[in-house]
Amino acid sequence: MKAVRFHEYGDSDVLRYEDVEQPVPGAGEVLIRVAATSFNPVDGNIRGGFMRGPIPVVLPHTPGIDVAGTVDALGEGVDGIAVGDDVVGFLPMDGNGAAADYVLAPAEALALAPKNIPLADAAALPLVGLTAWQALFDHGKLTAGQRVLINGAGGAVGAYAVQLAKNAGAHVIATASPRSSEAVTSAGADEVIDHTTTSVTAVVTERVDLALNLAPVAPDELAALLTLVRSGGVVVNTTVWMPAPSDEERDVKGIDLFVRSDADQLAQLVALTDRGELRVDVAERLPLADLPALHARAAEGTVHGKAIVVPPVA
């Protein structure tokens, strides 16, 4: 089968589009014929060798944490999933990914794919959708009637966070650049702040229950978000290289989020998608052979929105 792999850490030019042996599922595993994977910034960090501590991978390594595809074979002890099922999943970060014709996945990581969008497009959902879900509900404990500030709402995670927060009955304040403000508004934000021209602290005069930071901001900007959160509230930060600030005197918790695979939560995201309550946006659809070029563009900062990567049709 075809796959994109890197045999050593480095820039995007270490990625090779090559022939590899098709894997065989072991106990508890499923072999998936890949419809698509997606690009996530962590893919570039793993390839560059910056995540060797928290995410040790065996070289050569195939990237691609998200997968959407069709079950081709089952390993021993797998039940609840059948050959021919269309599935979606968030693969183990330290295992081989889905930038290939086929990939192995733990059966427990998979959910049935949405039925009302193309199967390949479902690869845009798992990592970013779960990040938004876990930030808002697992860590932020967001409930109806609360106020949430989503800093960096114009990115892929932000699009889901705005929709999920709005669906939960929250008042959503979002920061975005002019390029993405229309999309953030259409996702359901009640207020959109242009962070390129306006200080968030100058605009948000009523404190929020939850501040969710999705942007690679400077430490002082992250600290400023803390001042906008009410006593007893929460700051959730996804830029894990910079710790979330907290305020013990006001009982404001700072939580650093590192997303985890959760098939039950993923199934809830799929259900929302099938009911038309969660929109899955795909900015680009690229052939698998173009993945190295996509990594290069991401390093230059020219990838906007969610890109999915599609293997050749057999």
Side-chain angles (χ1 to χ4, degrees):
M1 69 174 190
K2 289 292 188 182
V4 173
R5 303 195 297 178
F6 56 89
H7 295 248
E8 60 277 333
Y9 295 111
D11 295 333
S12 60
D13 57 7
V14 301
L15 292 167
R16 305 179 193 172
Y17 181 57
E18 57 191 11
D19 292 307
V20 302
E21 189 173 340
Q22 182 175 310
V24 176
E29 292 182 326
V30 172
L31 179 68
I32 299 172
R33 186 171 73 251
V34 177
T37 185
S38 79
F39 175 80
N40 293 289
V42 71
D43 294 323
N45 290 329
I46 294 172
R47 184 213 68 233
F50 307 119
M51 305 294 286
R52 277 181 258 193
I55 310 175
V57 300
V58 176
L59 300 179
H61 177 74
T62 304
I65 296 162
D66 291 318
V67 65
T70 303
V71 175
D72 193 77
L74 304 175
E76 184 181 351
V78 174
D79 54 22
I81 298 176
V83 171
D85 282 349
D86 289 338
V87 293
V88 63
F90 174 22
L91 301 173
M93 289 189 177
D94 58 355
N96 275 324
D101 290 331
Y102 292 85
V103 68
L104 294 178
E108 62 190 15
L110 302 174
L112 293 176
K115 294 180 172 59
N116 69 343
I117 62 173
L119 178 58
D121 287 7
L125 179 62
L127 186 146
V128 288
L130 287 170
T131 299
W133 183 283
Q134 291 167 19
L136 294 171
F137 305 122
D138 286 1
H139 300 296
K141 310 297 183 187
L142 188 69
T143 57
Q146 290 189 324
R147 291 167 55 81
V148 57
L149 170 63
I150 301 173
N151 192 50
V157 175
Y160 291 106
V162 171
Q163 293 182 78
L164 291 172
K166 193 61 183 173
N167 286 346
H171 180 87
V172 181
I173 307 166
T175 73
S177 68
R179 185 186 67 242
S180 53
S181 61
E182 185 176 336
V184 171
T185 300
S186 69
D190 297 287
E191 303 175 45
V192 179
I193 300 168
D194 180 357
H195 65 81
T196 66
T197 61
T198 308
S199 166
V200 179
T201 53
V203 176
V204 180
T205 54
E206 181 183 346
R207 282 180 166 162
V208 299
D209 299 277
L210 166 64
L212 169 56
N213 180 57
L214 305 172
V217 296
D220 61 326
E221 293 178 89
L222 185 58
L225 297 181
L226 181 67
T227 67
L228 302 177
V229 179
R230 65 162 178 82
S231 297
V234 184
V235 176
V236 179
N237 178 42
T238 62
T239 54
V240 292
W241 60 87
M242 187 166 53
S246 59
D247 185 339
E248 290 185 8
E249 286 187 10
R250 296 196 302 117
D251 189 30
V252 178
K253 295 178 182 177
I255 297 173
D256 296 305
L257 169 67
F258 200 81
V259 63
R260 59 182 176 80
S261 182
D262 188 308
D264 290 337
Q265 291 178 354
L266 187 54
Q268 292 183 71
L269 291 167
V270 168
L272 287 169
T273 303
D274 277 337
R275 292 201 300 267
E277 296 173 14
L278 187 66
R279 189 178 69 214
V280 176
D281 289 323
V282 175
E284 298 182 72
R285 296 168 181 83
L286 303 167
L288 179 60
D290 287 357
L291 182 59
L294 178 60
H295 272 243
R297 287 173 45 216
E300 296 166 356
T302 58
V303 175
H304 304 297
K306 197 68 176 168
I308 63 168
V309 181
V310 181
V313 178

